[in-house]
Amino acid sequence: MGDEQPAGRRGRALRDAAARAGRSLGMVDLDPVLRAHRAGYPKAKMGPVRRAYETAELAHRGQARKSGEPYIIHPIEVTLILAELGMDTATLQAALLHDTIEDTAYTLDELRSDFGDEIAVLVDGVTKLDGSKWGERAEAETFRKMILAAAADLRVLLIKLADRLHNLRTLGFQPAHKQQRIARQSQELLIPFAERLGMYELKREMDDLCFSVLQPEAHQAIAAALAGNEAGGRLILEPAVRRLRASLKDQRLSAEVVLHRRHLWAVHLDVGRRLDTLQPADLFRMLVLVDGEDRDCYIALGAVHESMSPVPGRLKDFISLPRFNLYRALHTRVIADGGKVMDVIIRTRQMHRMAERGLAAHIHDVARGQRADVAGRIDLEWLRRLLAWQNDASSADFLESLRGDLRPDLIAAFTTEGEVVPLPPGATPIDFAYALGPEIGNHAIGALVNGRLAPLHARLESGAVVHILTAETARPSAEGLDAATTPTARLLIRRHLAAQRADDAAVRGRRMVAEAVAATGWELLDLESRGVSGSVAARLGYRELDDLYGAVAAGDVELDDLVTRLTTDSA
């Protein structure tokens, strides 16, 4: 590829060269992608997808993956995942091109000229930073860059998730240490993103693939146990299914009842290695898919409780109060045949589609003109808040806060305006305050929790409505640090306390210098206004006078030597 070609001409030149050579670009390999895309978008033009494929195939030609397959197989498989999720044409083009900037001579400027700004932004958002330049910070800074791009266009995250899913599917070709690193990183950062976006279909597969790498023996044991007990479990639960179907029919409600097999990782989290106690209810969730509206789910709930005994206090209504990722359903726990506890999930067909595909389903509906753009209602406000104060955060601090915010066991607290604020169990009002923003956290003095006055160290329960009380004169304190539990709150409080200590040291140091200079007959304020102090500070390697004075207070700069320099320069 000739680097002398202007941006935008290389892709066209490569395609023209292939056409002149009469060489087929392997469109048979792209057919599954085109079929899936056409199924979701019957009127979509396939030319733009083919053109992106041609450019990617030529750019990657001659490259191979660890498996020995041509490299182009990877972007095709990533694109197929997204096409089957119903993603739009631009996303599929970006997916086909997503590794060209990182792994070939094709540049971002050329891609932008060939395919436009929209595709360029998506590709750039998922392109890793150069490890040789960024070193150990490359991973954190790549995530920071990706999240910045996702704040403007969430499709960046979807491409990244599809990319990681295919990499996990083919992880067996990587060396063992790399398998462990990729699987662990996926569990900590990528899988929680899938859950935040409501994409449980991807999440379940990624969970099990990581499980197989990180705990291969436990994975194999769970897989064997489920395979050996699935048929028998279905037989045992079938009478309960029949009773529920009859009860739904009595209510004149059209609904499908299915036994939904749980994925391996979820079963492992519940039963661990106690496989000898495995019960049919551990393997399945009873899923009721209602052909109707939201209100019909409540009718179905009555049918469930009529056919099986409900467990008191175990009803969760995610229809009237959706989760932060827009997940909606009714969850109830009942006692099925043999006295075994069984979980039942009730959804409409549309809720089920959203529960499985989340943001991807919303984007598909928006692109098809079937609904208004509701993707922004998925709670990524926490990402914007995170980025608002972390532009200058260290890589380690950024990753620590990101992992904390992506914990899977978050509770939901609410502002008085009804905004959902996800927090970890055990969180306090000071954590809530900093989740709203540094200024609110820095000036917090107390809280109203469910209308009652509460201290900043009080523990919040899920569903709490919180109003933070502030005072302009309030500042973060060591007591606030003790009360904080989230990485974000603790980092911001520590940062403020460190800055306050630096300010206090600068005040003490300046006082020391002023007294010493006055003893020689000079005024420090006069030396500062004439620029003498600033010049001396610069020669000593300090950018700010406060840094110099702080060093005096810490004993890092000899006071007598500094006074000599100041008075000599002022002469």
Side-chain angles (χ1 to χ4, degrees), residues 247-452:
S247 183
L248 290 166
K249 187 175 180 180
D250 290 342
Q251 297 290 339
R252 298 182 179 179
L253 194 64
S254 174
E256 180 184 3
V257 181
V258 296
L259 290 175
H260 180 72
R261 203 187 91 164
R262 304 177 68 204
H263 64 296
L264 305 183
W265 177 243
V267 176
H268 174 71
L269 290 178
D270 278 358
V271 305
R273 297 184 182 275
R274 302 188 308 275
L275 298 181
D276 56 327
T277 65
L278 199 64
Q279 300 293 327
D282 296 320
L283 275 63
F284 300 100
R285 295 287 182 260
M286 196 175 292
L287 182 60
V288 181
L289 299 177
V290 177
D291 299 316
E293 305 299 327
D294 293 4
R295 60 184 177 83
D296 294 316
C297 291
Y298 295 95
I299 298 173
L301 177 65
V304 170
H305 288 172
E306 181 182 333
S307 62
M308 291 171 280
S309 300
V311 176
R314 297 311 299 260
L315 172 63
K316 296 181 180 178
D317 186 350
F318 297 118
I319 295 178
S320 60
L321 188 62
R323 287 177 176 169
F324 45 78
N325 57 11
L326 296 186
Y327 176 87
R328 301 176 74 228
L330 295 176
H331 288 208
T332 185
R333 182 165 287 183
V334 298
I335 299 175
D337 292 10
K340 301 300 182 183
V341 172
M342 183 82 187
D343 289 322
V344 182
I345 300 172
I346 304 168
R347 305 169 181 158
T348 65
R349 299 281 183 178
Q350 179 67 2
M351 289 177 195
H352 181 62
R353 179 170 166 270
M354 295 297 170
E356 291 295 289
R357 299 188 172 182
L359 178 63
H362 284 294
I363 291 176
H364 177 265
D365 288 351
V366 171
R368 292 286 302 274
Q370 295 174 354
R371 64 171 58 216
D373 187 358
V374 297
R377 285 165 41 202
I378 290 182
D379 180 36
L380 289 179
E381 186 60 33
W382 62 277
L383 273 184
R384 300 183 186 97
R385 290 194 291 260
L386 182 70
L387 293 171
W389 68 266
Q390 290 225 11
N391 288 333
D392 60 342
S394 70
S395 299
D397 285 350
F398 178 78
L399 273 188
E400 182 183 359
S401 287
L402 187 58
R403 290 188 182 101
D405 285 333
L406 286 172
R407 283 182 54 167
D409 57 344
L410 299 179
I411 65 171
F414 297 85
T415 67
T416 51
E417 291 77 29
E419 178 188 353
V420 180
V421 180
L423 293 169
T428 63
I430 193 66
D431 297 313
F432 185 96
Y434 276 105
L436 297 180
E439 282 304 304
I440 296 176
N442 288 343
H443 298 292
I445 57 173
L448 293 175
V449 179
N450 298 326
R452 295 187 176 185

Side-chain angles (χ1 to χ4, degrees), residues 202-219:
L202 263 64
K203 177 189 180 300
R204 288 193 296 269
E205 184 177 355
M206 294 172 75
D207 272 337
D208 286 351
L209 289 169
C210 291
F211 181 29
S212 69
V213 170
L214 297 175
Q215 301 182 55
E217 292 181 2
H219 176 272

Side-chain angles (χ1 to χ4, degrees), residues 26-161:
M27 284 304 175
V28 172
D29 293 335
L30 194 63
D31 282 349
V33 171
L34 300 178
R35 285 195 298 271
H37 190 38
R38 192 173 287 111
Y41 299 84
K43 296 181 180 180
K45 296 179 180 179
M46 299 297 125
V49 179
R50 289 192 180 97
R51 189 164 68 90
Y53 167 73
E54 291 170 3
T55 300
E57 196 279 337
L58 286 161
H60 288 295
R61 185 170 292 175
Q63 295 179 344
R65 303 197 83 212
K66 295 286 186 182
S67 63
E69 293 178 325
Y71 194 92
I72 191 63
I73 297 297
H74 170 64
I76 288 176
E77 291 294 333
V78 170
T79 308
L80 180 59
I81 291 169
L82 293 165
E84 290 175 340
L85 287 171
M87 294 306 298
D88 59 297
T89 301
T91 305
L92 302 193
Q93 288 181 279
L96 285 164
L97 296 161
H98 80 273
D99 273 340
T100 55
I101 308 306
E102 183 179 330
D103 294 329
T104 79
Y106 194 50
T107 69
L108 183 61
D109 286 341
E110 290 169 334
L111 188 148
R112 181 176 288 108
S113 180
D114 281 343
F115 295 95
D117 287 338
E118 180 183 15
I119 310 301
V121 167
L122 293 175
V123 173
D124 186 43
V126 295
T127 299
K128 294 178 186 175
L129 295 173
D130 187 349
S132 64
K133 295 179 181 178
W134 289 87
E136 294 181 354
R137 295 189 298 142
E139 177 188 347
E141 295 306 320
T142 294
F143 270 99
R144 195 197 307 254
K145 170 175 169 279
M146 181 184 70
I147 293 169
L148 280 167
D153 195 328
L154 288 171
R155 292 176 297 177
V156 169
L157 287 176
L158 299 188
I159 296 171
K160 181 62 180 179
L161 288 172

